[in-house]
Each structure stands twice: as structure tokens, then as C-alpha cells.
Amino acid sequence: MLPLLLLQPAAQPTGTALTASNSENLVSGMVSNGDYRIYNVEKCDYNVTLFSVYPVFAAHQIEWNTMGKTMAWWSVLIGLPKTADISETEKVRFYASGAKHVAKVAKGLHLTGKRVLDFGCGLGRLSFAFANQLGATVTCVDQSVHHLRIAEQEWAKRKKAGAVEFVASSPDLLAPMAKTRFDFVHSVIALQHMVPALQVVYLEQLCDLLIPGGSGWLQIPHKTPGAVDTGCDMGASIRQGGMQMHSTPLHALKKLFRRRGCRADITDAGRSYIGDDAGRSAFVKLRKRKAGGEPGQSAEAQSATP
């Protein structure tokens, strides 16, 4: 098994001292109040730092980048051809399916000119819809630079409204965002392919990235089949490789969001987005606590504040 730095039993949430100011907590998920930031992975009964999860992240990032070069469209929506490119007719249907999804999850939201973070955006299927339909300024985040390169090319052909920027991610999700915060965060069929430790790391930071009063919609499995979830053994996940399915239990989801100042309304969504015999999915609606910020101030206004 690969050595995992600072992997600790949950009963020992200590950190190694760093020199860091409180302002650095806003721009990196690596530190917290002068120490390495500790993430509690309740499902696996241990704590991790970002150093702990980089080996498993890097291993799977290579695989997703490979799929981005050889079968990008299939890797986002199984059922499409396992080829480097698909027909324009198939692309039109692909992006139309994203528009339907966004119409549901963003119903009643006024996102014109607001900032939206689409995590695990792949080829921009949903990012484009947030921009074109709602006039949002969208940050499309993915671990695969090859998916993002195709998405950027497609956006140039399909742009109608709003704006989309493309950002390659690492476990430190806060770092590339600097002090930018968002009115709405979104993720679907992305977190499920990450081990529980990475799920916790990203979910906490997605809450961190919301403005006070901001909201979000996330999909993640809360139960996977079988008595053992190999995702807790990150070395085993690396050796197994391929497209995997992992989960974080409902009670753990509520607790981790509460720790970061977000209220989470969670519903069981059955097999939505994960297919037969893959466990059970959850839909999470987030709302960031308003304390510490102006109740209605947009992310655009906050990022412009010195």
C-alpha cells in the first residue's frame, strides 16, 4: 500500500503546525488557523489532510484524463460511443439533456449575473445551461484537462448568454478560486466516483465557497452495495483502478456541512444517476449561514469587496 501522510484515527484530530494567517484559510483548503486542516471521514473512522488524499486523487486523475483523450463523451454519459468524438446530432442531444437538468435544479433561482460553480463539469453539459439559460457566470471545474479542453472548444460554438471559465482542480479546491465566492454550487454524477475521503474534502470546500446566504444542489450516493466499501482503503482503490462508485452516509453528510456553516436538506433519491445495483443516491440542497456577510449580497459584489 502507498504511504498516506497524516492519515489518523478519528479520535486523534491533531495537526502539524504551520505558519499561516486566518486570511490563508480563505484561499487554501490545506491549512486552518496555523495547522494543516483536518478533514473527518466519519464513514472510514479516520481523519485526513490534503496530503493524505493526493496519491489516490492523482491515480484516478490519470485515468479520467486518459478517458478524456479517448472516450470523453462516453465517460460523462454512458450510452454514447466510446470514441474520441461524436456526431453533431449526438452533441446537440447531449447538451439539451443538461438544459433539462438545470431547469429542474435551478427552478425559482435568479442567477442572472450571479456566480455558479459547477464541480465535476466534464464537457460543460450543465455549465453551458447555467450560462445560456440563466445568464450566470459559471466556473466549470474538473480534474481532467482533456475534458476541459473539449468543453472550451464546444463553448466557443454554443455560447448564447452568460460566461463560462474552465478550471482544472486538485483536492485544494479553494486555491484556484482565490477569494472568489459563489451564489450557487452544483455537482452531479461526479462525487460518486471519488473515494469517501475525497468526497468529504470536496463537500466541505463546496460549502466554504458559498457566499453567506448562498445555495447549492449536489448529488452523491449515500449507500453502496456490499459489506465492504474499498474506498476507505485508498491504496486498494488505486490498485483497483477504473471507474468506481463510492458513498458517504446521510448522517455524515449532515454533520460535515453543519461543521462548515451550511444547512443541508437531504433526500433519498433511490437509484437516480447511479444505475441499477449501485446503491442509493442522495440529493442535497445547501444553504450557507448568513452570519458574517450581507444577506442578499451577490458573489460578484463580494469578490469586488477589498
Side-chain angles (χ1 to χ4, degrees):
M1 181 185 297
L2 292 176
L4 299 173
L5 301 177
L6 295 177
L7 183 69
Q8 304 170 343
Q12 303 175 30
T14 59
T16 301
L18 288 176
T19 301
S21 65
N22 288 338
S23 64
E24 287 179 306
N25 299 347
L26 302 176
V27 296
S28 175
M30 186 75 73
V31 298
S32 178
N33 299 320
D35 286 351
Y36 288 117
R37 178 167 166 179
I38 300 297
Y39 296 84
N40 176 237
V41 189
E42 183 175 341
K43 175 178 180 176
C44 302
D45 195 30
Y46 56 59
N47 298 306
V48 298
T49 66
L50 291 196
F51 288 112
S52 310
V53 298
Y54 264 99
V56 70
F57 167 80
H60 291 301
Q61 183 186 38
I62 291 170
E63 298 200 46
W64 282 98
N65 271 282
T66 300
M67 285 190 279
K69 291 178 69 174
T70 59
M71 56 182 79
W73 302 89
W74 175 87
S75 70
V76 176
L77 282 186
I78 294 174
L80 290 171
K82 288 186 175 182
T83 53
D85 201 7
I86 59 176
S87 70
E88 178 60 22
T89 300
E90 289 169 317
K91 289 179 182 179
V92 168
R93 285 199 294 263
F94 176 85
Y95 287 109
S97 70
K100 292 179 181 178
H101 171 85
V102 167
K104 291 180 181 178
V105 302
K107 186 176 181 180
L109 296 176
H110 302 289
L111 295 177
T112 302
K114 301 295 181 67
R115 293 187 182 274
V116 172
L117 175 72
D118 184 21
F119 177 76
C121 65
L123 300 172
R125 185 175 72 100
L126 305 166
S127 296
F128 294 6
F130 279 114
N132 282 334
Q133 290 178 225
L134 304 176
T137 298
V138 184
T139 299
C140 174
V141 178
D142 203 271
Q143 64 181 331
S144 168
V145 294
H146 294 291
H147 283 82
L148 291 174
R149 184 187 62 194
I150 296 170
E152 193 167 11
Q153 293 168 350
E154 292 296 330
W155 175 241
K157 296 184 288 186
R158 303 177 194 281
K159 178 178 179 179
K160 298 176 183 176
V164 180
E165 64 172 346
F166 305 90
V167 176
S169 67
S170 75
D172 194 346
L173 186 58
L174 294 180
M177 306 306 164
K179 292 186 179 181
T180 299
R181 293 298 181 263
F182 297 85
D183 298 278
F184 188 78
V185 296
H186 172 271
S187 182
V188 65
I189 55 176
L191 290 158
Q192 60 196 38
H193 298 306
M194 302 174 184
V195 296
L198 277 172
Q199 290 177 348
V200 170
V201 162
Y202 282 123
L203 289 170
E204 285 199 12
Q205 291 180 84
L206 285 169
C207 174
D208 294 345
L209 284 165
L210 280 172
I211 65 164
S215 60
W217 190 98
L218 311 171
Q219 174 269 331
I220 182 173
H222 65 87
K223 183 182 295 184
T224 41
V228 178
D229 186 336
T230 56
C232 287
D233 184 341
M234 290 184 273
S237 176
I238 292 171
R239 292 191 296 273
Q240 178 183 335
M243 191 181 289
Q244 301 175 16
M245 186 72 69
H246 299 294
S247 62
T248 292
L250 293 176
H251 66 274
L253 289 171
K254 280 188 173 290
K255 287 169 68 173
L256 74 87
F257 285 122
R258 190 181 305 119
R259 284 197 300 269
R260 304 310 300 176
C262 280
R263 187 187 75 224
D265 295 328
I266 305 174
T267 57
D268 177 275
R271 294 175 177 173
S272 298
Y273 298 108
I274 61 175
D276 295 339
D277 303 320
R280 298 192 71 82
S281 192
F283 294 162
V284 183
K285 291 183 178 181
L286 290 183
R287 178 68 67 177
K288 185 70 171 279
R289 188 169 53 227
K290 292 184 179 180
E294 286 293 328
Q297 188 180 21
S298 71
E300 184 176 34
Q302 289 222 342
S303 65
T305 302

